Structure formats: structure tokens, C-alpha cells
């Protein structure tokens, strides 16, 4: 075996705000709030599924903004309108040969929404 999956990582200029956005969008919480830890604000923010079912996601601070399409992205179950209400942007609507919505978070990171 060459390796074993550990975590997902997402880069963001405002990693604190993006971590909060994803917590609201998919029901995650900051891992530090669960553990009672405090991390310096400039450190990456780990967010987790409080039910323990989803993977740990690290939201990492980076100095540059997003420029091109993500090479890797998240797929989520949900209602596109609810993501839009959280200020996600529709990149491509479901239809034709595509059975999901392509959306972008508040910093433009693409993700796919599969309706429940």
C-alpha cells in the first residue's frame, strides 16, 4: 500500500471566513470548539462533521486568490437554493448530460451539489 487517505484541504485567502462558511453550508463545526482548544488565528482551521461521519477538512490560509478551476473539489448532497442563500454562486446548472449543480463558495472554490 502506497498511502492511506487522511484529510481534505481547502486553500483560502480569508481562511477564517471560509471555514465558517463551510460550517454553515454543510453542518460542520470547528474541531477546536469540540476539543476546547484554541489556535492562533493565522493557523489553518480544522472543521469536522459533528456526527463523525464526514472527513476532516483543513481550511488553509494562502496569500493568493483563486485564479483557475479547482483540480479537486467537494461533492455534497443538498439544495442549490440553500447554498445560494449562503451566497454561493451557480457556475453551471443541472441539466443535459450533467446531473448535478456546479457551484462556487464565497472565495470561488467550485463544488458540486447533488440534490437529495
Amino acid at each position: 500500500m502506497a498511502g492511506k487517505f487522511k484529510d481534505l484541504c481547502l486553500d483560502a485567502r480569508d481562511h477564517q471566513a471560509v471555514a465558517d462558511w463551510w460550517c454553515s453550508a454543510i453542518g460542520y463545526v470547528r474541531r477546536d470548539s469540540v476539543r476546547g482548544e484554541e489556535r492562533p488565528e493565522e493557523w489553518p482551521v480544522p472543521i469536522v462533521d459533528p456526527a463523525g461521519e464526514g472527513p476532516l477538512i483543513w481550511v488553509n490560509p494562502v496569500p493568493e486568490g483563486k485564479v483557475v478551476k479547482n483540480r479537486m473539489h467537494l461533492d455534497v448532497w443538498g439544495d442549490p437554493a440553500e447554498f445560494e442563500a449562503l451566497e454561493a454562486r451557480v457556475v453551471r446548472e443541472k441539466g443535459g448530460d450533467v446531473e448535478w449543480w456546479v457551484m462556487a463558495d464565497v472565495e470561488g472554490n467550485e463544488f458540486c451539489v447533488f440534490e437529495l
Side-chain angles (χ1 to χ4, degrees), residues 10 24 29 31 44 47 53 56 73 94 102:
L10 179 65
S24 295
V29 297
R31 184 184 68 182
I47 62 174
E53 296 176 9
L56 171 68
H73 64 268
K94 174 182 171 181
V102 179

Side-chain angles (χ1 to χ4, degrees), residues 9 12 20-22 29 32 42 45 47-50 60-62 66 75-77 80 83 86 93 102 107:
C9 298
D20 289 339
W21 189 88
W22 277 103
V29 297
D32 301 338
E42 65 274 8
V45 178
I47 62 174
V48 296
D49 177 354
N60 299 318
V62 295
K66 184 179 165 310
D75 285 350
V76 299
W77 294 105
F83 289 105
L86 293 171
E93 291 186 10
V102 179
E107 282 205 2

Side-chain angles (χ1 to χ4, degrees), residues 29-82:
V29 297
R30 289 174 178 248
R31 184 184 68 182
D32 301 338
S33 69
V34 174
R35 292 184 171 184
E37 299 172 340
E38 286 190 33
R39 299 170 65 81
E41 192 168 305
E42 65 274 8
W43 285 13
V45 178
I47 62 174
V48 296
D49 177 354
E53 296 176 9
L56 171 68
I57 301 173
W58 288 93
V59 184
N60 299 318
V62 295
E64 70 279 354
K66 184 179 165 310
V67 179
V68 298
K69 183 182 180 302
N70 297 16
R71 296 293 299 254
M72 183 179 290
H73 64 268
L74 301 180
D75 285 350
V76 299
W77 294 105
D79 178 352
E82 291 182 12

